[in-house]
Amino acid sequence: MTNDDKITIADDAVIHPGDLHEDFIRSSGPGGQNVNKVATAVQLRFDAANAQGLSDRVRERALKFAGQRATKDGVIVIEAGRFRTQEQNRADARARLTALVAKAAEPPPPPRKKTRPSKGAVERRLKTKAGRSTVKKLRGRVGDD
């Protein structure tokens, strides 16, 4: 994927390359001396608050799903350092951002249909309830006759 390709997720969710900013940082974890001199991890910043390709609904949901990865200014920061090369980490960061925005672009679930229990179900419930009540009453003390 080249830098000037826009990522189309849905009709109301398009990521333009101008909204993305990548910084290469040193990875943490094991790797010997190589980890101290090569910046292979990627810090991908996506300005969701000012992105033209997102609808208001998708923008709000994306920032909600981002959680702590979103700044107060509405910038989503994704760090990818799982792989040893910059290209793999870059692709990983973009894939994770795409998945986040795709999840935010999903249509809302249909509203719940209210249902009522059938007349027979209500009668059965009341019958068993009365049976339990009788059993519990019979557990009491035996009175003197």
Side-chain angles (χ1 to χ4, degrees), residues 19 45-51 54 59 62-64 66-67 69-77:
D19 298 328
R45 293 178 172 275
F46 173 58
D47 191 2
N50 301 319
L54 300 181
R59 179 176 294 117
L63 289 171
K64 187 180 96 177
R69 291 176 291 186
T71 64
K72 291 177 184 168
D73 302 329
V75 177
I76 297 173
V77 180

Side-chain angles (χ1 to χ4, degrees), residues 15-26:
I15 299 174
H16 295 285
D19 298 328
L20 297 176
H21 177 72
E22 292 173 339
D23 288 322
F24 294 100
I25 56 176
R26 290 194 196 129

Side-chain angles (χ1 to χ4, degrees), residues 1 3-10 12-21 44-48 51-54 58 76 78 93-102:
M1 176 186 293
N3 220 8
D4 41 86
D5 287 340
K6 62 182 177 181
I7 303 168
T8 305
I9 297 161
D12 56 351
V14 178
I15 299 174
H16 295 285
D19 298 328
L20 297 176
H21 177 72
L44 179 68
R45 293 178 172 275
F46 173 58
D47 191 2
Q52 316 99 6
L54 300 181
V58 174
I76 297 173
I78 294 178
R94 286 176 180 244
R96 284 165 45 194
L97 176 67
T98 305
L100 182 110
V101 176

Side-chain angles (χ1 to χ4, degrees), residues 2-145:
T2 59
N3 220 8
D4 41 86
D5 287 340
K6 62 182 177 181
I7 303 168
T8 305
I9 297 161
D11 293 337
D12 56 351
V14 178
I15 299 174
H16 295 285
D19 298 328
L20 297 176
H21 177 72
E22 292 173 339
D23 288 322
F24 294 100
I25 56 176
R26 290 194 196 129
S27 290
S28 62
Q33 293 176 351
N34 192 50
V35 80
N36 297 326
K37 55 187 179 175
V38 181
T40 55
V42 178
Q43 193 177 57
L44 179 68
R45 293 178 172 275
F46 173 58
D47 191 2
N50 301 319
Q52 316 99 6
L54 300 181
S55 67
D56 290 336
R57 181 185 73 84
V58 174
R59 179 176 294 117
E60 281 180 32
R61 285 173 52 96
L63 289 171
K64 187 180 96 177
F65 288 141
Q68 287 190 326
R69 291 176 291 186
T71 64
K72 291 177 184 168
D73 302 329
V75 177
I76 297 173
V77 180
I78 294 178
E79 289 188 13
R82 281 195 282 193
F83 302 103
R84 289 180 67 123
T85 63
Q86 277 186 355
E87 276 308 308
Q88 284 179 308
N89 285 329
R90 244 175 127 196
D92 182 38
R94 286 176 180 244
R96 284 165 45 194
L97 176 67
T98 305
L100 182 110
V101 176
K103 185 177 173 188
E106 288 176 354
R112 179 185 168 275
K113 260 188 190 170
K114 289 186 178 178
T115 57
R116 293 179 64 180
S118 66
K119 195 172 180 183
V122 171
E123 286 175 8
R124 285 190 301 274
R125 182 180 65 85
L126 292 176
K127 188 176 176 186
T128 58
K129 197 170 174 180
R132 284 193 307 269
S133 172
T134 307
V135 166
K136 289 187 177 188
K137 280 179 189 167
L138 292 173
R139 286 188 195 148
R141 291 181 184 253
V142 179
D144 293 331
D145 286 339

